[in-house]
Amino acid sequence: MDHSFKGKDIISIKDFTREEIEHVLDAAETMEPILSSGSEMLGGMVLATLFFEPSTRTRLSFESAMLRLGGAVIGFAEPKTSSVEKGETIADTVRVVENYADIIVMRHSLEGAARLAAEFSSVPVVNAGTGAEEHPTQAMLDMLTIRKELGRIDGLNIGLIGDLRYGRTVHSLAYGLSLFDVKLFFVSPEVLKMRQEVVEDVRRRVQVNETGQLESVLPVLDVLYVTRIQKERFADPAEYAKVRGVYRITRETTKSMKEEAIIMHPLPRVDEISADVDETRHARYFQQARYGLLLRMALLALVLGAID
Amino acid sequence: MDHSFKGKDIISIKDFTREEIEHVLDAAETMEPILSSGSEMLGGMVLATLFFEPSTRTRLSFESAMLRLGGAVIGFAEPKTSSVEKGETIADTVRVVENYADIIVMRHSLEGAARLAAEFSSVPVVNAGTGAEEHPTQAMLDMLTIRKELGRIDGLNIGLIGDLRYGRTVHSLAYGLSLFDVKLFFVSPEVLKMRQEVVEDVRRRVQVNETGQLESVLPVLDVLYVTRIQKERFADPAEYAKVRGVYRITRETTKSMKEEAIIMHPLPRVDEISADVDETRHARYFQQARYGLLLRMALLALVLGAID
Amino acid sequence: MDHSFKGKDIISIKDFTREEIEHVLDAAETMEPILSSGSEMLGGMVLATLFFEPSTRTRLSFESAMLRLGGAVIGFAEPKTSSVEKGETIADTVRVVENYADIIVMRHSLEGAARLAAEFSSVPVVNAGTGAEEHPTQAMLDMLTIRKELGRIDGLNIGLIGDLRYGRTVHSLAYGLSLFDVKLFFVSPEVLKMRQEVVEDVRRRVQVNETGQLESVLPVLDVLYVTRIQKERFADPAEYAKVRGVYRITRETTKSMKEEAIIMHPLPRVDEISADVDETRHARYFQQARYGLLLRMALLALVLGAID
């Protein structure tokens, strides 16, 4: 079987089959020993990180992944330091930067921006988050976390909780998980319900349960995937105030959970998960960062042809 | 012949003879195979990029050049993250940074800033653009582009088009080209005419034709070097509106051009060149980015003494 | 004797004994040949620089130190490009970044921030300046400068001059020097006097002389450690105006100094030391930057276990 990731753009989780995703997760597991031993697998290669929107973890995660494999990094962390300020199009930026780098990782506030970049770029483009649309590498690292921490993805009851409307992470993750044999629970306030097209698409493959009540589904969930309700998404502060604390997970909450259930969060969190949960057996949100590094090492190595 | 670039500052194109420029262009051509093979030529060396004015392509180009040759990079991409905010002089900044790096690449909004830095620095300083004055490495990469794409510089009719008053790129390029056997055409609106001291200086060596009409010279040009008319240079928006679209190059425009003529642009462009020109046989502005990388690899290697 | 720096956090100068500081200074001296020969001592390792407050010299100094030893660097230079903007706590940021890096260097405007980070981080944390509180690596490099330039620290008369109230550098330095056999002179306007708890603590070990008159102590000092009076510390501009020029060091001032006395400054300076002092035999403030590089190379190598 030829997965041929070499030279491939990573734009949407929808571009991948279950087999391809599992291949990436397998590759990520092989990266673990390299964290201590080091590697020169991508020696001489250059990654460009074009972050038109600020980010800490995603940018640093990709940069660390590239450096751990012996590669080098150029890039910018905010548009003000770039030619975008002078009115340049994405297409032009990409056609310049492709000369400086072997692979481009890009975050942008506009949906479709990474796809557009990939069309113009002669080097592979990896989508590191576009608007409220997609964040495919986050979805993959989340699936890796589930598989490693619970031993499998098939057969699990997985709850996505919080802002399902604007959270790009949950869009990609719902699509990705629907390729497995799971039951999905979308838990959100009415105004932040999962986009209808995502629900319809996912429902074609797996059972989906939409609810506003976390308590009602809490006892059956194997995975609680909690997201931040983003203040900046609300025009009306009163609307935000109404929903912000609605699914706050505390140590008390965890008592209604299955013994083995895990709590995940793409981070940063504000107060959706209280600090007293951090030390419980359920918390996995800091481990996600580590899996993210492994996943991105694997993706870079695959796309740049250093591994198959 | 000893060109002795080792340890030399690269401040103004006026500091170089034709022979020296040709030596740099020759060196740039030898860098081409390294793009695929890699090199550790500058292993262990550190470049500091001090960008007091934002930039994408120039900064990333220098950084990629350094990394491709095995070196490392430190620096800042905007003054707000630097001690300049605290009132430090350029002389002091440079006398600190020279301890951290083997070479300094600097962009600044003030004319003369790079020259000043070089006076105080014990390590070589490369000017990556100062005010509206000079951008010598851009001029060199432009000359490399012409030589590679048209096989020679001598004997060509070269038109510099757009904002010739404030565009630092065209100032350096006009000087550099005047060392060759060329005819120069300066095409601009009256308010954006080439600075008188540049015209006088260049005229001492080559024939210069100043005009406001692009159409009149279009059929004789071998190179159209188009520049962006920068909004930020105009105090009066009405003045800007009057001139901004005056030399817009479209696919239609190219019909009056010589078959083999090429169109260049230092980028970023806004709308001086319409997107339908990109696919024509004339467009070379994205190739310039690649020649820029080669040129900067060569300059770093020469100045740091890795090649002669 | 086991100094066991491996894995140790560097948070406050108060955490170190005289022997430990001398061990770091000794290690810094062994780094000198590496500046020219290069080293791969930290090859494969990654440093994260988390600068929640802007800085040039400290950030670039740490980054250059890491690169000179063969390591790599990730990080951010200002909070706007980080998740902090989204309301993340330091504890969360650190628990994510520890997955990406082998060591964290952090600057923050809040006192206690580095200590807090170290409590949550599984990798070592180095304090690169916290509020007006501490800047331990600056204190160490200052001590290295004194020891190298004057041959010893014991027996010297050392004056700390300027803003002793808000300057974190002088707090750490006063503590560090008090472990040696020195006499300290705190010279400042009344409103910028050294914090009382520092004076009391330091006085337990060494003789301290507090004064507002520089002239009265100038002839006995071996070291003048001059600091910038920071405008941003004054609510009332009139208060600032009153004290800003009060200890301006000029070539004239140096005539009252001991022949061998040296002038230091943590930089950036504004006008506390006039430019005509730069060429005198007393000036050492640019050499401090070089010692800072050596000191930070040593600290990184010690904490990461590359040397003992």
Side-chain angles (χ1 to χ4, degrees), chain B residues 13-308:
Chain B
I13 197 75
K14 296 186 224 172
D15 300 337
F16 297 90
T17 64
R18 171 175 175 149
E19 286 65 36
E20 286 169 329
I21 290 172
E22 289 186 310
H23 185 67
V24 176
L25 304 194
D26 291 345
E29 297 199 25
T30 70
M31 292 294 143
E32 201 140 10
I34 292 178
L35 279 190
S36 40
S37 70
S39 165
E40 287 295 319
M41 200 180 273
L42 301 182
M45 290 191 164
V46 175
L47 161 69
T49 49
L50 308 187
F51 277 68
F52 295 89
E53 251 194 8
S55 156
T56 308
R57 72 202 63 252
T58 305
R59 181 172 62 83
L60 296 187
S61 174
F62 270 110
E63 295 186 0
S64 182
M66 188 69 182
L67 296 167
R68 294 287 191 199
L69 296 175
V73 179
I74 59 171
F76 55 82
E78 57 159 349
K80 285 233 177 79
T81 66
S82 85
S83 291
V84 180
E85 283 282 294
K86 300 176 187 162
E88 185 168 66
T89 63
I90 291 171
D92 276 16
T93 299
V94 158
R95 279 181 287 184
V96 169
V97 173
E98 68 180 9
N99 292 287
Y100 307 152
D102 302 290
I103 184 168
I104 292 171
V105 170
M106 180 174 157
R107 169 166 292 190
H108 205 286
S109 58
L110 290 181
E111 304 192 0
R115 181 80 67 193
L116 180 74
E119 273 162 31
F120 281 94
S121 174
S122 64
V123 302
V125 172
V126 179
N127 180 359
T130 36
E133 175 196 36
E134 274 261 19
H135 194 353
T137 67
Q138 176 75 41
M140 287 181 190
L141 81 86
D142 292 334
M143 288 188 272
L144 177 62
T145 305
I146 295 169
R147 195 174 87 166
K148 288 288 284 182
E149 295 294 323
L150 293 176
R152 70 194 189 288
I153 299 176
D154 288 322
L156 298 179
N157 293 329
I158 299 174
L160 308 186
I161 298 156
D163 173 6
L164 307 186
R165 183 173 174 79
Y166 300 110
R168 56 189 163 208
T169 298
V170 286
H171 299 158
S172 293
L173 183 55
Y175 277 115
L177 288 172
S178 75
L179 300 173
F180 292 78
D181 178 24
V182 296
K183 282 189 194 149
L184 295 180
F185 298 77
F186 294 164
V187 185
S188 71
E190 191 62 26
V191 292
L192 295 174
K193 281 181 78 171
M194 183 67 87
R195 294 174 174 202
Q196 201 47 39
E197 76 264 27
V198 179
V199 178
E200 280 169 19
D201 196 348
V202 165
R203 248 194 195 129
R204 256 177 244 132
R205 287 181 300 275
V206 299
Q207 190 181 318
V208 174
N209 183 331
E210 286 190 275
T211 176
Q213 305 301 319
L214 178 57
E215 315 78 58
S216 65
V217 298
L218 203 53
V220 308
L221 294 178
D222 298 296
V223 176
L224 278 81
Y225 192 93
V226 183
T227 63
R228 182 167 63 97
I229 294 183
Q230 298 175 64
K231 197 174 167 180
E232 58 269 34
R233 300 301 188 187
F234 289 82
D236 180 354
E239 278 298 312
Y240 172 63
K242 226 184 290 176
V243 299
R244 70 170 290 191
V246 68
Y247 303 120
R248 189 170 152 78
I249 310 291
T250 64
R251 195 179 276 260
E252 193 56 34
T253 320
T254 65
K255 291 182 184 160
S256 318
M257 287 168 54
K258 278 188 182 179
E259 185 93 340
E260 304 297 331
I262 63 173
I263 301 171
M264 296 170 65
H265 191 299
L267 302 179
R269 69 170 158 177
V270 181
D271 52 13
E272 312 80 45
I273 303 176
S274 69
D276 63 7
V277 177
D278 297 359
E279 304 310 316
T280 68
R281 59 177 300 165
H282 305 289
R284 290 300 188 287
Y285 26 96
F286 295 117
Q287 284 89 325
Q288 279 171 270
R290 187 162 177 282
Y291 290 121
L293 181 65
L294 296 171
L295 191 282
R296 282 158 184 147
M297 289 167 72
L299 267 185
L300 293 173
L302 284 164
V303 170
L304 288 168
I307 60 173
D308 278 329

Side-chain angles (χ1 to χ4, degrees), chain C residues 119-135:
Chain C
E119 273 162 31
F120 283 93
S121 173
S122 64
V123 301
V125 173
V126 179
N127 180 0
T130 37
E133 176 195 35
E134 275 260 20
H135 194 353

Side-chain angles (χ1 to χ4, degrees), chain C residues 166-190:
Chain C
Y166 300 110
R168 55 188 164 210
T169 298
V170 286
H171 300 156
S172 294
L173 183 56
Y175 278 115
L177 289 172
S178 74
L179 301 173
F180 292 76
D181 178 25
V182 296
K183 281 190 195 147
L184 294 181
F185 298 78
F186 294 165
V187 184
S188 70
E190 191 62 29

Side-chain angles (χ1 to χ4, degrees), chain A residues 38 66 72 108 205 228 244:
Chain A
M66 189 68 183
H108 205 286
R205 286 182 300 277
R228 184 167 61 97
R244 69 170 289 191

